[in-house]
Amino acid sequence: MTSFTDPAILFFVFGMLAGSLKSNLEIPQPISRFLSLYLLMTLGLKGGFALAQSGLTSDVVISLAAALGMACIVPLIGYGVLCRFLSGFDAAAIAATYGSVSAVTFITASQHLDNQGVAFGGHMAAAMALMESPAIVFAVVMANHVRRRINLNGNLTDASVGAHVTGNPPLSRILHEALTDGAQLLLLGAMLIGLLTGESGRAAMKPFSVDLFKGMLAFFLLDMGLLAARNMGQLKGQSPWLVVYAVLGPLVHAGLALLLAWLLGMAAGDAALLMVLSASASYIAVPAVIRHAIPEASPSLYFGMSLGLTFPFNILLGIPLYLHFAQKFLG
């Protein structure tokens, strides 16, 4: 329950309460965007500084390989489960959303580990960037497979769906958007700068990347609480299995990440962050790409599930739970 004594988490709870009460409290979009970019830049710098200190060790390589493995496993499992009660397009879109990662969840988890005095490698920020795109590639491939199957079966009865199929953006364009996303580039660029400047850079950026961080995170989580509360309504009238998946799916994904971390002998802090990444769901980058790549899918499903259910679950309960089990099994 230590999460509920953290001011940043309490601001998230407050934001959810204000949103549920339909308050007109809101964070202007430009400020929200600035906070997001600030947090990503800070995370990248911290990761770069840590990598400059530790170097490229076997532990770093193992962690990055584990992250890439989970980025492939999660969307594959998700699609296999979801296509049993959803259309192929919705299953692919949701699988991509849950196969990718939430940077804010990761940043919040990193702060939680700092608060608990749990050491973790700065390279886990690189792991987060590595896990961003594989699920998008998988979803685009599966959606194209569904389209071909529909064409072969001659079941295109809706002219609007036919228009989507014929006018769908090429895979190369989708991949370019996924791999050159501005937020991801900022994270990697900041990490490179931190790596190049090392300890002198850490000292110079301390007022920006350390002293301001907690307050900026609290402000951003307030905004996320408001958004989460206002997006829960998108799931009204949907299959109850979606609610089950939005909560149990992340737990299963985290459990698989813990098993992989145990097999690879990862440190508890790195394992906890791998669990967080595997359990999180994207609600910014992936929905933005999927909206154009798979227009047949319903945004209310993949966006409502990730932001309205999974994100609050991970922030309030998931992060301390994942850390508890990582410490229990990995010391």
Side-chain angles (χ1 to χ4, degrees):
M1 296 299 289
T2 53
S3 290
F4 292 98
T5 61
D6 186 317
I9 301 300
L10 288 175
F11 269 107
F12 177 78
V13 174
F14 172 68
M16 288 195 67
L17 177 61
S20 300
L21 295 174
K22 303 187 185 303
S23 167
N24 63 354
L25 175 64
E26 64 177 348
I27 308 299
Q29 182 59 34
I31 294 178
S32 178
R33 178 64 175 165
F34 164 75
L35 292 171
S36 175
L37 293 176
Y38 166 83
L39 292 174
L40 286 168
M41 180 186 288
T42 301
L43 179 65
L45 285 171
K46 288 182 176 180
F49 296 148
L51 274 175
Q53 187 174 23
S54 66
L56 187 64
T57 64
S58 59
D59 289 340
V60 173
V61 175
I62 288 173
S63 297
L64 295 180
L68 186 59
M70 289 304 302
C72 297
I73 292 170
V74 171
L76 186 62
I77 293 175
Y79 183 80
V81 172
L82 291 163
C83 68
R84 297 176 183 273
F85 57 92
L86 290 174
S87 72
F89 296 120
D90 284 327
I94 296 174
T97 302
Y98 280 78
S100 191
V101 296
S102 163
V104 179
T105 306
F106 179 81
I107 292 169
T108 306
S110 301
Q111 183 64 42
H112 180 71
L113 265 63
D114 279 337
N115 293 343
Q116 299 300 311
V118 178
F120 60 90
H123 61 275
M124 293 307 295
M128 182 187 74
L130 196 63
M131 294 177 73
E132 185 82 49
S133 301
I136 298 176
V137 176
F138 173 83
V140 171
V141 170
M142 292 311 301
N144 287 337
H145 172 71
V146 173
R147 292 187 187 103
R148 285 195 298 270
R149 191 174 63 195
I150 291 175
N151 282 327
L152 288 174
N153 293 338
N155 290 331
L156 271 178
T157 58
D158 187 335
S160 66
V161 176
H164 284 319
V165 174
T166 57
N168 196 61
L171 179 61
S172 58
R173 177 180 153 195
I174 298 300
L175 295 181
H176 179 268
E177 290 181 7
L179 297 173
T180 60
D181 176 70
Q184 183 165 300
L185 284 180
L186 174 62
L187 174 70
L188 294 175
M191 183 177 296
L192 178 61
I193 291 170
L195 179 63
L196 292 175
T197 57
E199 191 58 39
S200 62
R202 186 201 300 267
M205 296 299 290
K206 183 177 180 296
F208 175 81
S209 62
V210 178
D211 297 342
L212 292 177
F213 182 81
K214 188 74 172 182
M216 292 288 198
L217 178 60
F219 205 10
F220 190 66
L221 285 179
L222 168 63
D223 186 37
M224 289 297 98
L226 291 166
L227 283 175
R230 290 164 182 167
N231 279 277
M232 285 182 179
Q234 295 191 36
L235 295 175
K236 287 183 179 179
Q238 301 295 341
S239 169
W241 287 111
L242 292 177
V243 178
V244 173
Y245 182 84
V247 176
L248 292 187
L251 292 175
V252 172
H253 303 158
L256 291 174
L258 177 60
L259 175 61
L260 182 59
W262 177 75
L263 291 173
L264 295 175
M266 292 174 61
D270 292 350
L273 290 180
L274 180 65
M275 293 170 72
V276 168
L277 288 170
S278 301
S280 67
S282 175
Y283 56 85
I284 298 176
V286 172
V289 175
I290 291 298
R291 187 182 294 269
H292 299 290
I294 313 179
E296 303 92 338
S298 172
S300 64
L301 294 183
Y302 55 81
F303 190 73
M305 287 172 65
S306 62
L307 184 56
L309 292 175
T310 302
F311 181 72
F313 173 79
N314 279 329
I315 293 294
L316 298 177
L317 299 175
I319 291 173
L321 187 66
Y322 307 145
L323 176 58
H324 169 77
F325 280 103
Q327 290 179 314
K328 181 177 181 179
F329 288 97
L330 300 172

